[in-house]
Coordinates of all heavy atoms in Angstrom, one line a residue:
M236 N -20.8 -179.5 128.5 CA -21.6 -178.4 128.2 C -21.6 -177.4 129.3 O -22.4 -176.4 129.3 CB -23.0 -178.7 127.8 CG -23.0 -179.6 126.6 SD -24.6 -179.9 125.7 CE -25.8 -179.4 126.8
A237 N -20.7 -177.5 130.3 CA -20.6 -176.6 131.4 C -20.5 -175.2 131.2 O -19.7 -174.7 130.4 CB -19.5 -177.1 132.3
W238 N -21.4 -174.4 131.8 CA -21.2 -172.9 131.9 C -21.6 -172.5 133.2 O -22.8 -172.6 133.7 CB -22.2 -172.3 130.9 CG -21.9 -170.8 130.7 CD1 -21.6 -169.8 131.6 CD2 -22.0 -170.1 129.4 NE1 -21.4 -168.6 131.0 CE2 -21.7 -168.7 129.7 CE3 -22.3 -170.5 128.1 CZ2 -21.7 -167.8 128.7 CZ3 -22.2 -169.5 127.1 CH2 -21.9 -168.2 127.4
V239 N -20.6 -172.1 134.1 CA -20.9 -171.8 135.5 C -21.6 -170.5 135.6 O -21.2 -169.5 135.0 CB -19.5 -171.7 136.2 CG1 -19.7 -171.4 137.7 CG2 -18.8 -173.1 136.1
Y240 N -22.6 -170.5 136.5 CA -23.3 -169.3 136.8 C -22.6 -168.6 138.0 O -22.8 -169.0 139.1 CB -24.8 -169.6 137.2 CG -25.7 -168.4 137.2 CD1 -25.3 -167.2 136.8 CD2 -27.1 -168.6 137.7 CE1 -26.2 -166.1 136.8 CE2 -27.9 -167.6 137.8 CZ -27.5 -166.3 137.3 OH -28.3 -165.2 137.3
R241 N -21.7 -167.8 137.7 CA -20.7 -167.3 138.5 C -21.3 -166.4 139.7 O -20.7 -166.3 140.8 CB -19.7 -166.3 137.8 CG -18.7 -167.2 137.1 CD -17.9 -166.5 136.0 NE -16.9 -167.3 135.5 CZ -17.1 -168.3 134.6 NH1 -18.3 -168.6 134.3 NH2 -16.0 -169.0 134.2
R242 N -22.5 -166.0 139.5 CA -23.2 -165.1 140.6 C -23.4 -166.0 141.8 O -23.4 -165.5 142.9 CB -24.4 -164.6 140.1 CG -25.2 -163.7 141.1 CD -26.3 -163.1 140.4 NE -27.0 -162.2 141.4 CZ -28.1 -161.6 141.1 NH1 -28.6 -161.7 139.9 NH2 -28.7 -160.9 142.0
Y243 N -23.6 -167.3 141.6 CA -23.9 -168.2 142.8 C -22.9 -169.3 143.1 O -22.9 -169.8 144.2 CB -25.3 -168.8 142.5 CG -26.4 -167.8 142.4 CD1 -27.0 -167.5 141.2 CD2 -26.9 -167.1 143.5 CE1 -28.0 -166.6 141.1 CE2 -27.8 -166.2 143.4 CZ -28.4 -165.9 142.2 OH -29.5 -165.0 142.1
S244 N -22.1 -169.6 142.1 CA -21.2 -170.8 142.3 C -19.8 -170.4 142.9 O -19.3 -169.4 142.4 CB -21.0 -171.5 141.0 OG -20.1 -172.6 141.2
R245 N -19.4 -171.1 143.8 CA -18.0 -171.0 144.4 C -17.2 -172.3 144.2 O -16.2 -172.4 144.7 CB -18.1 -170.6 145.8 CG -18.9 -169.4 146.2 CD -18.1 -168.1 145.7 NE -18.8 -166.9 146.0 CZ -19.4 -166.1 145.1 NH1 -19.3 -166.4 143.8 NH2 -20.0 -165.0 145.5
S246 N -17.7 -173.2 143.3 CA -17.1 -174.5 143.2 C -16.0 -174.4 142.2 O -16.2 -174.2 141.0 CB -18.2 -175.5 142.7 OG -17.5 -176.7 142.4
R247 N -14.8 -174.7 142.7 CA -13.6 -174.7 141.8 C -13.8 -175.9 140.8 O -13.3 -175.8 139.6 CB -12.3 -174.8 142.6 CG -12.0 -173.7 143.4 CD -10.7 -173.8 144.0 NE -10.5 -172.6 144.9 CZ -9.3 -172.4 145.4 NH1 -8.3 -173.1 145.2 NH2 -9.2 -171.2 146.1
R248 N -14.4 -176.9 141.1 CA -14.6 -178.1 140.2 C -15.5 -177.7 139.0 O -15.2 -178.0 137.9 CB -15.3 -179.2 141.0 CG -15.6 -180.4 140.1 CD -14.3 -181.1 139.8 NE -14.7 -182.4 139.0 CZ -14.1 -182.7 137.9 NH1 -13.1 -182.1 137.5 NH2 -14.5 -183.8 137.3
L249 N -16.5 -176.9 139.3 CA -17.4 -176.5 138.2 C -16.6 -175.5 137.3 O -16.7 -175.7 136.0 CB -18.6 -175.7 138.7 CG -19.6 -176.6 139.5 CD1 -20.8 -175.8 140.0 CD2 -20.1 -177.7 138.5
Y250 N -15.8 -174.6 137.8 CA -15.0 -173.8 136.9 C -14.0 -174.6 136.1 O -13.8 -174.3 134.9 CB -14.2 -172.7 137.8 CG -15.0 -171.7 138.4 CD1 -15.4 -171.7 139.7 CD2 -15.4 -170.6 137.6 CE1 -16.2 -170.7 140.3 CE2 -16.2 -169.6 138.1 CZ -16.6 -169.7 139.4 OH -17.4 -168.7 140.0
A251 N -13.4 -175.6 136.6 CA -12.5 -176.6 135.9 C -13.3 -177.3 134.8 O -12.8 -177.4 133.6 CB -11.9 -177.6 136.8
L252 N -14.5 -177.7 135.1 CA -15.3 -178.4 134.1 C -15.7 -177.5 133.0 O -15.7 -177.9 131.8 CB -16.5 -179.1 134.7 CG -16.3 -180.2 135.6 CD1 -17.6 -180.6 136.4 CD2 -15.8 -181.5 134.8
E253 N -16.1 -176.2 133.3 CA -16.3 -175.3 132.3 C -15.2 -175.0 131.3 O -15.2 -175.0 130.1 CB -16.8 -174.0 132.9 CG -17.1 -172.9 131.9 CD -17.3 -171.5 132.5 OE1 -16.4 -170.9 132.9 OE2 -18.5 -171.1 132.5
A254 N -14.0 -174.8 131.9 CA -12.8 -174.5 131.2 C -12.5 -175.8 130.2 O -12.1 -175.6 129.1 CB -11.6 -174.3 132.1
E255 N -12.6 -176.9 130.8 CA -12.4 -178.2 129.9 C -13.4 -178.2 128.8 O -12.9 -178.4 127.6 CB -12.6 -179.3 130.8 CG -12.3 -180.7 130.1 CD -12.6 -181.8 131.0 OE1 -12.3 -181.8 132.2 OE2 -13.1 -182.8 130.6
A256 N -14.7 -177.9 129.0 CA -15.6 -177.9 127.9 C -15.3 -176.8 126.9 O -15.5 -177.1 125.7 CB -17.0 -177.7 128.5
K257 N -15.0 -175.7 127.4 CA -14.7 -174.6 126.5 C -13.5 -174.9 125.6 O -13.6 -174.7 124.4 CB -14.4 -173.4 127.3 CG -14.7 -172.0 126.8 CD -14.3 -170.9 127.7 CE -15.5 -170.3 128.3 NZ -15.1 -169.0 129.1
Q258 N -12.5 -175.4 126.2 CA -11.3 -175.7 125.5 C -11.5 -176.8 124.4 O -11.0 -176.7 123.3 CB -10.1 -176.1 126.4 CG -8.8 -176.4 125.7 CD -7.7 -176.8 126.7 OE1 -7.9 -176.9 127.8 NE2 -6.5 -176.9 126.1
A259 N -12.3 -177.8 124.8 CA -12.6 -178.8 123.8 C -13.7 -178.5 122.9 O -14.0 -179.3 121.9 CB -13.0 -180.1 124.6
R260 N -14.3 -177.3 123.0 CA -15.4 -176.8 122.2 C -16.6 -177.7 122.2 O -17.1 -178.2 121.1 CB -14.9 -176.4 120.8 CG -13.9 -175.3 120.9 CD -13.5 -174.7 119.6 NE -14.6 -174.1 118.9 CZ -15.1 -172.9 119.1 NH1 -14.7 -172.2 120.1 NH2 -16.1 -172.4 118.4
R261 N -17.0 -178.2 123.4 CA -18.1 -179.2 123.5 C -19.3 -178.5 123.8 O -19.4 -177.5 124.5 CB -17.7 -180.2 124.7 CG -16.8 -181.4 124.2 CD -16.9 -182.5 125.2 NE -16.5 -182.1 126.6 CZ -15.3 -182.1 127.1 NH1 -14.3 -182.6 126.4 NH2 -15.1 -181.7 128.3
G262 N -20.5 -179.1 123.4 CA -21.8 -178.7 123.7 C -22.0 -177.2 123.2 O -21.7 -176.9 122.1
L263 N -22.5 -176.3 124.1 CA -22.7 -175.0 123.7 C -21.5 -174.2 123.4 O -21.5 -173.2 122.7 CB -23.6 -174.2 124.8 CG -23.0 -174.2 126.2 CD1 -22.1 -173.0 126.4 CD2 -24.2 -174.0 127.1
W264 N -20.3 -174.7 123.8 CA -19.0 -174.1 123.5 C -18.6 -174.3 122.1 O -17.6 -173.7 121.6 CB -17.9 -174.5 124.5 CG -18.3 -174.1 125.9 CD1 -18.6 -174.9 126.9 CD2 -18.4 -172.8 126.4 NE1 -18.9 -174.1 128.1 CE2 -18.8 -172.9 127.7 CE3 -18.1 -171.5 125.8 CZ2 -18.9 -171.8 128.6 CZ3 -18.3 -170.4 126.6 CH2 -18.7 -170.5 128.0
A265 N -19.3 -175.1 121.4 CA -19.0 -175.4 119.9 C -19.5 -174.1 119.1 O -19.0 -174.0 118.0 CB -19.7 -176.7 119.4
D266 N -20.4 -173.4 119.6 CA -20.9 -172.3 118.9 C -19.9 -171.2 119.0 O -19.3 -171.0 120.0 CB -22.2 -171.8 119.6 CG -23.0 -170.8 118.8 OD1 -22.4 -169.9 118.1 OD2 -24.3 -170.9 118.8
S267 N -19.8 -170.3 117.9 CA -18.8 -169.2 117.9 C -19.2 -168.1 118.9 O -18.4 -167.3 119.3 CB -18.6 -168.7 116.5 OG -19.9 -168.2 116.0
N268 N -20.5 -168.0 119.2 CA -21.0 -167.0 120.1 C -22.1 -167.7 121.0 O -23.3 -167.4 120.8 CB -21.5 -165.8 119.3 CG -21.9 -164.6 120.3 OD1 -21.3 -164.5 121.3 ND2 -22.8 -163.7 119.9
P269 N -21.7 -168.5 121.9 CA -22.7 -169.2 122.7 C -23.6 -168.3 123.6 O -23.1 -167.2 124.0 CB -21.8 -170.1 123.5 CG -20.5 -169.5 123.7 CD -20.3 -168.8 122.3
I270 N -24.8 -168.7 123.7 CA -25.7 -167.9 124.6 C -25.7 -168.6 125.9 O -26.0 -169.8 126.1 CB -27.2 -167.9 123.9 CG1 -27.1 -167.3 122.5 CG2 -28.1 -167.2 124.8 CD1 -28.4 -167.5 121.8
P271 N -25.5 -167.8 127.0 CA -25.6 -168.3 128.3 C -27.0 -169.0 128.6 O -28.0 -168.5 128.1 CB -25.5 -167.2 129.3 CG -24.8 -166.1 128.4 CD -25.2 -166.4 127.0
P272 N -26.9 -170.2 129.3 CA -28.2 -170.9 129.5 C -29.3 -170.0 130.1 O -30.4 -170.1 129.8 CB -27.8 -172.0 130.4 CG -26.4 -172.2 130.1 CD -25.8 -170.8 129.8
W273 N -28.9 -169.2 131.0 CA -29.9 -168.3 131.7 C -30.5 -167.3 130.8 O -31.7 -166.9 130.9 CB -29.3 -167.6 133.0 CG -28.0 -167.1 132.8 CD1 -27.7 -165.8 132.4 CD2 -26.7 -167.7 132.9 NE1 -26.4 -165.6 132.3 CE2 -25.7 -166.8 132.6 CE3 -26.4 -169.0 133.2 CZ2 -24.4 -167.1 132.6 CZ3 -25.0 -169.3 133.3 CH2 -24.1 -168.3 133.0
D274 N -29.8 -166.9 129.8 CA -30.4 -166.0 128.7 C -31.2 -166.8 127.7 O -32.4 -166.4 127.4 CB -29.3 -165.2 127.9 CG -28.6 -164.2 128.7 OD1 -29.2 -163.8 129.8 OD2 -27.6 -163.7 128.2
W275 N -30.7 -168.0 127.4 CA -31.5 -168.8 126.4 C -32.8 -169.2 126.9 O -33.8 -169.2 126.2 CB -30.6 -170.1 126.1 CG -31.2 -170.9 125.0 CD1 -31.1 -170.9 123.7 CD2 -32.1 -172.1 125.3 NE1 -31.9 -171.8 123.1 CE2 -32.5 -172.6 124.0 CE3 -32.5 -172.7 126.5 CZ2 -33.3 -173.7 123.9 CZ3 -33.4 -173.8 126.3 CH2 -33.7 -174.3 125.1
R276 N -32.9 -169.6 128.2 CA -34.2 -169.9 128.8 C -35.2 -168.8 128.8 O -36.3 -169.0 128.9 CB -34.0 -170.4 130.3 CG -33.4 -171.7 130.4 CD -33.5 -172.3 131.8 NE -32.8 -171.5 132.8 CZ -31.5 -171.5 133.1 NH1 -30.8 -172.5 132.6 NH2 -31.0 -170.8 134.0
H277 N -34.7 -167.6 128.8 CA -35.6 -166.4 128.7 C -35.8 -165.8 127.4 O -35.8 -164.6 127.1 CB -35.1 -165.4 129.7 CG -35.1 -165.8 131.1 ND1 -36.2 -166.0 131.9 CD2 -34.1 -166.1 131.9 CE1 -35.9 -166.5 133.0 NE2 -34.6 -166.5 133.1
G278 N -35.8 -166.6 126.4 CA -36.1 -166.3 125.0 C -34.9 -166.3 124.0 O -35.0 -165.8 123.0
G279 N -33.8 -166.7 124.6 CA -32.7 -166.9 123.7 C -32.0 -165.6 123.2 O -31.3 -165.6 122.2
K280 N -32.1 -164.6 124.0 CA -31.5 -163.3 123.6 C -30.0 -163.6 123.6 O -29.4 -164.3 124.4 CB -31.8 -162.2 124.6 CG -31.3 -162.4 126.0 CD -31.7 -161.2 126.9 CE -31.1 -161.5 128.3 NZ -31.5 -160.5 129.2
V281 N -29.3 -162.9 122.6 CA -27.9 -163.1 122.4 C -27.2 -162.2 123.4 O -27.5 -161.0 123.6 CB -27.5 -162.7 120.9 CG1 -26.0 -162.9 120.7 CG2 -28.3 -163.6 120.0
S282 N -26.2 -162.8 124.0 CA -25.3 -162.1 125.0 C -24.5 -161.1 124.2 O -24.4 -161.2 122.9 CB -24.5 -163.0 125.8 OG -23.6 -163.7 125.0
K283 N -23.9 -160.2 124.9 CA -23.0 -159.2 124.2 C -21.9 -159.9 123.3 O -21.4 -160.9 123.7 CB -22.3 -158.3 125.3 CG -23.3 -157.5 126.0 CD -22.6 -156.8 127.2 CE -23.6 -156.1 128.0 NZ -23.2 -155.7 129.3
P284 N -21.7 -159.3 122.1 CA -20.7 -160.0 121.2 C -19.4 -160.0 121.8 O -19.0 -159.1 122.5 CB -20.9 -159.1 120.0 CG -21.4 -157.8 120.4 CD -22.2 -158.1 121.6
S285 N -18.6 -161.0 121.5 CA -17.2 -161.2 121.9 C -16.4 -160.2 121.1 O -16.8 -159.8 120.0 CB -16.8 -162.6 121.7 OG -16.9 -163.0 120.4
P286 N -15.2 -159.9 121.5 CA -14.3 -159.1 120.7 C -14.0 -159.7 119.5 O -14.2 -160.9 119.2 CB -13.1 -159.0 121.7 CG -13.5 -159.4 123.0 CD -14.6 -160.3 122.8
S287 N -13.4 -158.9 118.6 CA -13.1 -159.3 117.2 C -12.1 -160.5 117.3 O -11.3 -160.5 118.3 CB -12.5 -158.3 116.3 OG -11.3 -157.8 116.9
P288 N -12.0 -161.4 116.4 CA -11.1 -162.5 116.3 C -9.6 -162.1 116.5 O -8.8 -162.9 116.8 CB -11.4 -163.3 115.1 CG -12.8 -162.8 114.7 CD -12.9 -161.5 115.2
S289 N -9.4 -160.9 116.1 CA -8.0 -160.5 116.1 C -7.4 -160.3 117.5 O -6.2 -160.2 117.7 CB -7.7 -159.2 115.3 OG -8.5 -158.1 115.9
T290 N -8.3 -160.2 118.5 CA -7.7 -160.0 119.9 C -7.2 -161.4 120.4 O -7.7 -162.4 120.0 CB -8.9 -159.5 120.8 OG1 -9.9 -160.5 120.9 CG2 -9.4 -158.2 120.4
S291 N -6.3 -161.3 121.4 CA -5.8 -162.5 121.9 C -6.1 -162.7 123.4 O -5.4 -163.3 124.1 CB -4.3 -162.5 121.7 OG -3.8 -161.3 122.5
F292 N -7.3 -162.2 123.8 CA -7.7 -162.3 125.1 C -8.0 -163.8 125.4 O -8.7 -164.4 124.6 CB -8.9 -161.5 125.5 CG -8.7 -160.0 125.1 CD1 -9.8 -159.3 124.5 CD2 -7.6 -159.4 125.3 CE1 -9.7 -157.9 124.2 CE2 -7.4 -158.0 125.0 CZ -8.4 -157.3 124.4
Q293 N -7.7 -164.3 126.6 CA -8.1 -165.6 127.0 C -8.5 -165.6 128.5 O -7.8 -165.0 129.3 CB -6.8 -166.5 126.9 CG -6.3 -166.8 125.5 CD -5.2 -167.7 125.5 OE1 -4.3 -167.7 126.4 NE2 -5.2 -168.7 124.6
C294 N -9.6 -166.3 128.7 CA -10.1 -166.5 130.1 C -9.0 -167.2 131.0 O -8.3 -168.0 130.4 CB -11.4 -167.2 130.1 SG -12.8 -166.4 129.4
G295 N -9.0 -166.8 132.2 CA -8.1 -167.4 133.1 C -6.8 -166.8 133.2 O -5.9 -167.1 134.0
V296 N -6.5 -165.8 132.3 CA -5.1 -165.1 132.3 C -5.0 -164.0 133.2 O -4.1 -163.8 134.0 CB -4.8 -164.7 130.9 CG1 -3.5 -164.0 130.9 CG2 -4.8 -165.9 130.0
K297 N -6.1 -163.1 133.3 CA -6.1 -161.9 134.1 C -7.3 -161.9 135.0 O -8.3 -162.4 134.6 CB -6.1 -160.7 133.2 CG -4.8 -160.6 132.4 CD -4.8 -159.4 131.5 CE -3.5 -159.3 130.7 NZ -3.5 -158.0 129.9
R298 N -7.2 -161.1 136.1 CA -8.4 -161.2 137.0 C -8.6 -159.8 137.6 O -9.6 -159.6 138.3 CB -8.1 -162.1 138.2 CG -8.0 -163.5 137.7 CD -8.2 -164.6 138.7 NE -9.4 -164.6 139.3 CZ -10.6 -165.1 138.8 NH1 -10.7 -165.6 137.7 NH2 -11.7 -165.0 139.5
T299 N -7.8 -158.8 137.5 CA -8.0 -157.5 138.1 C -7.9 -156.4 137.1 O -7.3 -156.5 136.0 CB -6.9 -157.3 139.2 OG1 -5.6 -157.1 138.6 CG2 -6.8 -158.3 140.2
C300 N -8.4 -155.2 137.5 CA -8.4 -154.0 136.5 C -7.0 -153.6 136.3 O -6.7 -153.1 135.2 CB -9.3 -152.9 137.2 SG -11.0 -153.2 137.1
G301 N -6.1 -153.7 137.3 CA -4.7 -153.3 137.1 C -4.0 -154.1 136.0 O -3.0 -153.6 135.5
E302 N -4.6 -155.3 135.6 CA -3.9 -156.1 134.6 C -4.5 -155.7 133.3 O -3.9 -156.2 132.2 CB -4.1 -157.6 134.9 CG -3.5 -158.0 136.2 CD -3.9 -159.4 136.6 OE1 -5.0 -159.6 136.9 OE2 -3.0 -160.3 136.5
M303 N -5.6 -155.0 133.1 CA -6.2 -154.7 131.9 C -5.5 -153.6 131.2 O -5.1 -152.6 131.8 CB -7.7 -154.3 132.1 CG -8.4 -155.4 132.8 SD -8.6 -156.9 131.9 CE -8.7 -158.1 133.3
T304 N -5.5 -153.6 129.9 CA -4.7 -152.6 129.1 C -5.8 -151.7 128.3 O -5.4 -150.7 127.7 CB -3.8 -153.1 128.1 OG1 -4.4 -154.1 127.2 CG2 -2.6 -153.9 128.8
S305 N -7.1 -152.1 128.2 CA -8.1 -151.4 127.5 C -9.5 -151.7 128.1 O -9.6 -152.8 128.7 CB -8.0 -151.7 126.0 OG -8.4 -153.1 125.8
C306 N -10.4 -150.9 127.7 CA -11.8 -151.2 128.1 C -12.3 -152.4 127.4 O -13.0 -153.2 128.0 CB -12.6 -150.0 127.7 SG -14.4 -150.2 128.2
E307 N -11.9 -152.6 126.1 CA -12.3 -153.8 125.3 C -11.9 -155.0 126.1 O -12.6 -156.0 126.2 CB -11.7 -153.7 123.9 CG -12.1 -154.9 123.1 CD -11.3 -155.0 121.8 OE1 -10.3 -154.4 121.7 OE2 -11.9 -155.6 120.9
E308 N -10.6 -155.0 126.6 CA -10.1 -156.2 127.3 C -10.9 -156.5 128.6 O -11.3 -157.5 128.9 CB -8.6 -156.0 127.5 CG -8.0 -157.2 128.2 CD -6.5 -157.0 128.5 OE1 -6.1 -155.9 128.7 OE2 -5.8 -158.0 128.4
A309 N -11.2 -155.3 129.3 CA -11.9 -155.4 130.6 C -13.3 -156.0 130.3 O -13.8 -156.8 131.0 CB -11.9 -154.1 131.3
R310 N -13.9 -155.5 129.2 CA -15.3 -155.9 128.9 C -15.2 -157.5 128.5 O -16.2 -158.2 128.9 CB -15.9 -155.2 127.8 CG -17.3 -155.5 127.5 CD -18.2 -154.5 126.9 NE -18.2 -153.2 127.6 CZ -18.9 -153.0 128.8 NH1 -19.6 -154.0 129.2 NH2 -19.0 -151.8 129.3
F311 N -14.2 -157.9 127.8 CA -14.1 -159.3 127.5 C -14.0 -160.2 128.8 O -14.8 -161.1 128.9 CB -12.9 -159.5 126.7 CG -12.6 -161.0 126.4 CD1 -13.1 -161.7 125.4 CD2 -11.7 -161.7 127.3 CE1 -12.9 -163.1 125.2 CE2 -11.5 -163.1 127.1 CZ -12.0 -163.7 126.0
Y312 N -13.2 -159.8 129.7 CA -13.0 -160.5 130.9 C -14.3 -160.5 131.8 O -14.7 -161.5 132.4 CB -11.8 -160.1 131.7 CG -10.6 -160.6 131.2 CD1 -9.8 -159.9 130.2 CD2 -10.1 -161.9 131.6 CE1 -8.6 -160.5 129.7 CE2 -9.0 -162.4 131.1 CZ -8.2 -161.8 130.1 OH -7.1 -162.3 129.6
L313 N -15.0 -159.4 131.7 CA -16.3 -159.4 132.5 C -17.3 -160.2 131.8 O -18.0 -161.1 132.5 CB -16.7 -157.9 132.7 CG -18.2 -157.8 133.3 CD1 -18.1 -158.1 134.7 CD2 -18.6 -156.3 133.2
D314 N -17.6 -159.9 130.6 CA -18.7 -160.6 129.8 C -18.5 -162.0 129.4 O -19.4 -162.9 129.5 CB -19.0 -159.8 128.5 CG -19.5 -158.4 128.8 OD1 -20.0 -158.1 129.9 OD2 -19.4 -157.6 127.8
R315 N -17.3 -162.4 129.0 CA -17.0 -163.7 128.5 C -16.4 -164.6 129.5 O -16.6 -165.8 129.4 CB -16.1 -163.7 127.3 CG -16.6 -162.8 126.1 CD -17.8 -163.3 125.5 NE -17.5 -164.6 124.8 CZ -18.4 -165.4 124.3 NH1 -19.6 -165.1 124.3 NH2 -17.9 -166.5 123.7
C316 N -15.7 -164.0 130.5 CA -15.0 -164.9 131.5 C -15.7 -164.8 132.8 O -15.4 -165.7 133.7 CB -13.5 -164.5 131.6 SG -12.7 -164.5 130.1
G317 N -16.6 -163.9 133.0 CA -17.4 -163.8 134.3 C -16.6 -163.3 135.4 O -16.9 -163.6 136.6
I318 N -15.5 -162.5 135.2 CA -14.7 -161.9 136.3 C -15.5 -160.7 136.9 O -15.4 -159.6 136.5 CB -13.4 -161.5 135.8 CG1 -12.7 -162.6 135.0 CG2 -12.5 -161.0 137.0 CD1 -12.4 -163.9 135.9
K319 N -16.5 -161.0 137.8 CA -17.4 -160.0 138.3 C -16.7 -158.9 139.1 O -17.2 -157.8 139.3 CB -18.5 -160.7 139.2 CG -19.3 -161.7 138.4 CD -20.1 -161.0 137.3 CE -20.9 -161.9 136.5 NZ -21.4 -161.5 135.2
G320 N -15.5 -159.3 139.7 CA -14.7 -158.3 140.4 C -14.3 -157.1 139.6 O -13.9 -156.0 140.2
L321 N -14.4 -157.1 138.3 CA -14.0 -156.0 137.5 C -15.2 -155.0 137.4 O -14.9 -153.8 137.1 CB -13.8 -156.5 136.0 CG -12.7 -157.5 135.8 CD1 -12.6 -158.0 134.4 CD2 -11.4 -156.9 136.3
D322 N -16.4 -155.3 137.9 CA -17.5 -154.4 138.0 C -18.0 -154.3 139.4 O -19.0 -154.8 139.9 CB -18.6 -155.0 137.1 CG -19.8 -154.0 137.1 OD1 -19.7 -152.8 137.5 OD2 -20.9 -154.5 136.6
R323 N -17.1 -153.6 140.2 CA -17.4 -153.5 141.7 C -18.7 -152.9 142.0 O -19.3 -153.3 143.0 CB -16.2 -152.7 142.3 CG -15.0 -153.6 142.3 CD -14.0 -153.1 143.2 NE -12.8 -154.1 143.2 CZ -11.6 -153.7 143.5 NH1 -11.3 -152.5 143.7 NH2 -10.7 -154.7 143.5
D324 N -19.1 -151.9 141.3 CA -20.4 -151.2 141.6 C -21.6 -151.9 140.9 O -22.7 -151.4 141.0 CB -20.3 -149.7 141.4 CG -20.0 -149.4 139.9 OD1 -20.0 -150.3 139.1 OD2 -20.0 -148.2 139.6
R325 N -21.4 -152.9 140.1 CA -22.4 -153.7 139.5 C -23.3 -152.9 138.5 O -24.5 -153.1 138.5 CB -23.2 -154.5 140.5 CG -22.4 -155.5 141.3 CD -23.2 -156.2 142.3 NE -22.4 -156.9 143.2 CZ -22.5 -158.3 143.4 NH1 -23.5 -158.9 142.9 NH2 -21.7 -158.9 144.2
D326 N -22.7 -152.0 137.8 CA -23.5 -151.2 136.9 C -23.3 -151.7 135.5 O -23.8 -151.1 134.5 CB -23.1 -149.7 137.0 CG -21.7 -149.4 136.6 OD1 -20.9 -150.4 136.4 OD2 -21.3 -148.2 136.5
G327 N -22.5 -152.7 135.3 CA -22.4 -153.3 133.9 C -21.1 -152.8 133.3 O -20.8 -153.2 132.1
V328 N -20.4 -151.8 133.8 CA -19.3 -151.2 133.2 C -18.0 -151.6 134.1 O -17.9 -151.4 135.2 CB -19.3 -149.6 133.3 CG1 -18.0 -149.0 132.7 CG2 -20.5 -149.1 132.6
P329 N -17.1 -152.5 133.4 CA -15.9 -152.9 134.1 C -14.9 -151.8 134.2 O -14.8 -150.9 133.4 CB -15.4 -154.0 133.2 CG -15.9 -153.6 131.8 CD -17.1 -152.9 132.0
C330 N -14.0 -151.9 135.2 CA -12.9 -151.1 135.3 C -13.2 -149.6 135.0 O -12.7 -149.1 133.9 CB -11.7 -151.6 134.5 SG -11.3 -153.3 134.9
E331 N -13.9 -149.0 135.8 CA -14.4 -147.6 135.5 C -13.3 -146.7 134.9 O -13.5 -145.9 134.0 CB -15.1 -147.0 136.7 CG -16.6 -147.1 136.7 CD -17.1 -148.5 136.9 OE1 -16.3 -149.5 137.0 OE2 -18.3 -148.7 137.0
A332 N -12.1 -146.8 135.5 CA -11.0 -145.9 135.1 C -10.7 -146.1 133.6 O -10.4 -145.1 132.9 CB -9.7 -146.1 135.9
L333 N -10.8 -147.3 133.1 CA -10.6 -147.6 131.7 C -11.7 -147.3 130.7 O -11.6 -146.9 129.6 CB -10.2 -149.1 131.5 CG -8.8 -149.5 131.9 CD1 -8.7 -151.0 131.9 CD2 -7.8 -148.8 131.1
C334 N -13.0 -147.5 131.3 CA -14.2 -147.5 130.4 C -15.0 -146.3 130.6 O -16.1 -146.3 130.0 CB -15.0 -148.7 130.7 SG -14.1 -150.3 130.3
R335 N -14.6 -145.3 131.3 CA -15.4 -144.1 131.3 C -14.6 -142.9 130.8 O -13.5 -142.8 130.6 CB -15.7 -143.7 132.8 CG -16.6 -144.9 133.4 CD -17.8 -144.3 133.9 NE -18.6 -145.4 134.4 CZ -19.9 -145.4 134.4 NH1 -20.6 -144.4 134.1 NH2 -20.6 -146.4 134.9

């Protein structure tokens, strides 16, 4: 049921466990739109919706704004994959050149 809290974790092992759980759709990853544990504990608010099923974005494939082709893709990698480097000024908007 691993979901790494990327703000504090630097453990590669935890990232690997999360990817394994996600791929196997175990625990909270069995849900089509899982709620991060830190949100669930504060009232279960639903995190931002994932892109439509027609997209082919996958966590672990891209890591920088230069690799993104759209704001939707950048938002997916920030929100769903936790690639915090896409939001350098921490305003919640990834890859400003694409999303502004």
Side-chain angles (χ1 to χ4, degrees):
M236 293 191 350
W238 192 320
V239 178
Y240 194 6
R241 285 163 171 74
R242 183 172 180 184
Y243 299 108
S244 178
R245 301 288 180 249
S246 170
R247 290 183 184 195
R248 176 73 177 135
L249 290 178
Y250 288 101
L252 290 169
E253 178 189 72
E255 181 184 323
K257 208 182 257 190
Q258 184 175 4
R260 299 192 59 79
R261 280 195 303 266
L263 56 84
W264 297 111
D266 192 324
S267 63
N268 189 26
I270 299 171
W273 46 91
D274 286 348
W275 184 85
R276 282 191 304 270
H277 296 291
K280 65 182 181 183
V281 177
S282 61
K283 295 174 185 164
S285 59
S287 65
S289 64
T290 62
S291 60
F292 307 140
Q293 290 183 319
C294 293
V296 178
K297 298 181 181 182
R298 301 202 54 83
T299 66
C300 289
E302 296 172 294
M303 304 297 151
T304 58
S305 67
C306 182
E307 178 187 24
E308 182 179 34
R310 183 150 309 280
F311 172 85
Y312 280 93
L313 176 65
D314 296 341
R315 303 295 293 172
C316 306
I318 310 296
K319 299 298 182 196
L321 299 176
D322 182 14
R323 290 197 173 149
D324 60 2
R325 297 178 189 233
D326 65 350
V328 179
C330 303
E331 264 71 354
L333 286 172
C334 294
R335 295 238 180 207

